[in-house]
Amino acid sequence: MSTVRTTGMDTAETTGWAGWVVFAGVILLVSGVFSGVQGLVALVGPDTYYVMTNGSLWLMDVAGWGWWNLIVGALLVLTAVALFAGQTWARVIAVILAGLSAVGQLMLIPAQPWWSLIVIAIDVVIIYALTVHGRELRTDV
């Protein structure tokens, strides 16, 4: 199902994928809130974060990880809000952030394989919705 909207001299076709673009924005918003909370917990929690995988141990600086998550969370929330407003730059930033998220999840597959694969799949849907149908949000909202 698609609708055609005419504004001045532009004709824009809105398909059902506009809903997927909104979904991408909601996922970015939720992910940003989760990242922010995770960052805050890391900043006020213990000093180290351990991950055991088959025969190896990852040791990370929790304060650095916390600040990283806090900053990324804030960027995700701001990008989601701008995406809902139909901003072109927000689509570009959202695609970049989703791509970085997918690459980051590749590194976490040994520690949390199912979760990483689910997040990668969601990131791919976000990238597809924003790159192919992102313009429809501007006319749909």
Side-chain angles (χ1 to χ4, degrees), residues 12 14 16 21 38 49 51 58 65 69 72-73 75-78 82 88 90 94 103 107 109 119 121 123 125 133:
T14 302
V21 177
Q38 187 179 15
Y49 180 71
V51 175
W58 290 9
W65 185 252
N69 276 309
V72 167
L75 288 174
L76 287 170
V77 168
L78 292 173
T88 302
V103 169
M107 293 186 284
I109 285 177
V119 171
D123 287 336
V125 170
H133 301 282

Side-chain angles (χ1 to χ4, degrees), residues 37-48:
V37 169
Q38 187 179 15
L40 287 174
V41 168
L43 288 173
V44 298
D47 293 332
T48 53

Side-chain angles (χ1 to χ4, degrees), residues 19-29 80 83-84 125-126 129-130:
W20 282 99
V21 177
V22 173
F23 168 79
V26 169
I27 292 298
L28 288 173
L29 183 66
L83 188 63
F84 292 138
V125 170
I126 288 170
L130 292 174

Side-chain angles (χ1 to χ4, degrees), residues 44-70:
V44 298
D47 293 332
T48 53
Y49 180 71
Y50 301 97
V51 175
M52 288 293 295
T53 60
N54 299 328
S56 63
L57 173 69
W58 290 9
L59 178 62
M60 298 177 216
D61 177 36
V62 175
W65 185 252
W67 281 110
W68 171 255
N69 276 309
L70 199 59

Side-chain angles (χ1 to χ4, degrees), residues 100-114:
L100 290 174
S101 170
V103 169
Q105 290 300 319
L106 282 175
M107 293 186 284
L108 293 174
I109 285 177
Q112 33 188 306
W114 289 108

